[in-house]
Amino acid sequence: MKDMINVALPKGRLGEKVYDIFEKCGYDCPSIKEKNRKLIFENEEKGVRYFWVKPSDVAIYVERGAADIGVAGKDILLEYSPDVYELADLKMGKCRMAVAGKNDFKDDRTRTLKVATKFPNIARSYYNSISREIDIIKLNGSIEIAPILGLSDVIVDIVETGKTLIENDLKPFETIVPISARLISNKVSFKFKNAQITELAKKIAEYCTE
Amino acid sequence: MQNKNVKLSKFESALFDMRMLFEQYGYSQYKVSKFESYDLYAKNKAFLVSDNVLTFTDTTGHLMALKPDVTLSIVKNTVGGNGLQKLYYSENVYRTRGGSQGFKEIMQTGLECIGEVDLYSTAEVLMLAAKSLKAVSEDYILDISHMGFISSLISENIPSEHTKELLELISQKNVAQVEMFLTETGVDADIKNALLTLTSLYMPLADALEKIKPLILNDAMGEAYDELKTLNSLMERYNIKSLYLDFSVINDMRYYNGIIFSGYIKGISDKVLSGGRYDNLLKRMKKDAGAIGFAFYLDTLEQLVNTSSGFGIDTLIVYDENVAPEVVVSAMEMAVSEGKTAKAVKKIDTDIKAKEIVDLRGEQ
């Protein structure tokens, strides 16, 4: 019997688009489109088993081997640096990690900069690289409100269109790193299911560069 | 008395098999103390798997550490120069594992070969690593890589401040980003091509040798290639097959030079074995010798599904206040002398699965 490949997909709009790519590359699983409460979907013939998990958890499922492969944003990979292989850039879910602040913000280098973010590790390593002393304020959502209320000087967050920022009189100053969705693989699964995973990664990478 | 009914756990039997194996090939056991001066680790932090060390002050006020690693202690205590020392150990080490922040006690066994390391002893260590994995499961893979092949390619062409980033990308097999990185750094096309091929390469050693032969660009790579080739033919002689060439197996260039390898077992999502040639560590410690060795992380075997028979015990002996203790003694001793496992209880516990139940109650 052929080994099944377990695929962790991020719940939500991005995940649905990702599934479409898998489908077009020949890894379809019709039952996934049915409206029900099932969590796991498999197509034995194609040798794939899909499941939806919280986007920020995909890397954990893959790192621990509960999923052989998965799709996660580069932001998550940079923040948690999981021990996985990064096999392909899906070139979708594109956005950037940026520093933003109030329109009239001016960096005063004589003071410690207060940074509100969901991504403390990315923020820390960015400011370390430019030798800026900072105070990190870890928030879990609605980051944009922090500089408005004076909780922080700037925010480090994902910027897609910048619309939310503009509506709140904020603007992005610097791009830290561009972000897109990546195909990742568990290191051990990559070895034991090598032929299948390599083939899948190749198909996906080819589809995405077209 | 050999009791066949007591099943050794996977952990115990693997440890037993490995020790047998190491002794058979002339390795002698080396005991190290649980504590070590913290200085040793402070100087060689990058050699450790995780840089968290559990420390305490001893009665004289010295900062001590619970060993996070055995190799450093062994190397510290060896005197180089006289032939080849072959040692093995099985010790508990204390460090953090994976993403969790807590310290863990990790049972580790391994061997070290210190002195004039030649091709034969390299092959022997590699073979013992493969056989250690085999002692646990037939479904194993040993990935091998050669620092000489990749480090000379990198150090000659990439500015040293960028090597760390590049090595990290290679260890993630991130072909797309390695390509971007090399375009930005502006290296020659043949070097770029070689590095990209090495990043994505993953195949059985024998086939991979064909593939990397055209990539040789300097003497160091040629030597590394020859060593891999000889090792491949020696492994065939040992009848070891599950050997893969994978340059994503990378270790710190400051400590490792020749071959490095890591072992995996189907069903375990962590690396179970890790090793390599680390002459550079000895050089840093001012010892004139070569060294190669590996460590096997026995705690990872917990992840294997236990295939026990389902019976916890052979005989359950049930008694109550009315049964004389002498009767219980003789019933127990009879069962034990027959080589069974037995347990005397006052109440039948539904949690215990026994093959037979001897009820002494109501026999008076």
Side-chain angles (χ1 to χ4, degrees), chain B residues 158-208:
Chain B
I158 311 285
S160 59
E161 67 264 31
H162 294 310
T163 36
K164 206 179 161 205
E165 193 184 339
L166 180 61
L167 287 177
E168 175 128 5
L169 291 175
I170 293 176
S171 77
Q172 295 170 353
K173 282 201 177 291
N174 197 336
V175 182
Q177 226 151 321
V178 169
E179 189 167 5
M180 246 163 64
F181 178 90
L182 294 174
T183 313
E184 271 169 35
T185 340
V187 296
D188 296 347
D190 52 341
I191 291 159
K192 186 172 158 184
N193 171 38
L195 279 169
L196 284 174
T197 313
L198 295 182
T199 307
S200 62
L201 183 83
Y202 188 77
M203 51 174 79
L205 182 56
D207 306 338

Side-chain angles (χ1 to χ4, degrees), chain B residues 223-240:
Chain B
E223 277 167 36
Y225 174 81
D226 291 341
E227 190 177 347
L228 283 172
K229 199 173 157 97
T230 317
L231 284 174
N232 182 50
S233 71
L234 290 173
M235 287 304 117
E236 273 164 15
R237 213 167 253 274
Y238 282 125
N239 203 16
I240 285 163

Side-chain angles (χ1 to χ4, degrees), chain A residues 3 63-65 74 81-82 84-87 89 182 186-188 190-192 194, chain B residues 139-141 143 171-177 202 246 248 264-266 268-270:
Chain A
D3 276 332
E63 185 181 24
R64 296 259 177 169
K74 186 68 185 171
S81 27
V84 295
Y85 288 138
E86 200 180 306
L87 299 178
D89 183 349
R182 308 294 164 102
N186 176 270
K187 287 197 168 178
V188 180
F190 181 82
K191 296 168 200 310
F192 286 100
N194 188 259
Chain B
D139 261 331
Y140 74 91
I141 281 176
D143 282 350
S171 77
Q172 295 170 353
K173 282 201 177 291
N174 197 336
V175 182
Q177 226 151 321
Y202 188 77
D246 182 354
S248 76
Y264 302 87
I265 283 169
K266 197 169 189 173
I268 299 178
S269 64
D270 288 304

Side-chain angles (χ1 to χ4, degrees), chain A residues 103-146:
Chain A
N103 284 328
D104 58 356
F105 168 76
K106 266 226 154 56
D107 191 4
D108 175 5
R109 286 203 71 130
T110 57
R111 287 175 47 235
T112 304
L113 188 70
K114 285 187 287 178
V115 182
T117 185
K118 265 197 272 188
F119 304 95
N121 293 330
I122 295 177
R124 199 171 293 121
S125 74
Y126 169 69
Y127 282 104
N128 269 344
S129 75
I130 57 168
S131 316
R132 181 75 171 96
E133 195 184 341
I134 55 162
D135 178 12
I136 287 192
I137 302 164
K138 163 93 166 79
L139 298 177
N140 296 303
S142 311
I143 315 288
E144 294 82 8
I145 208 169

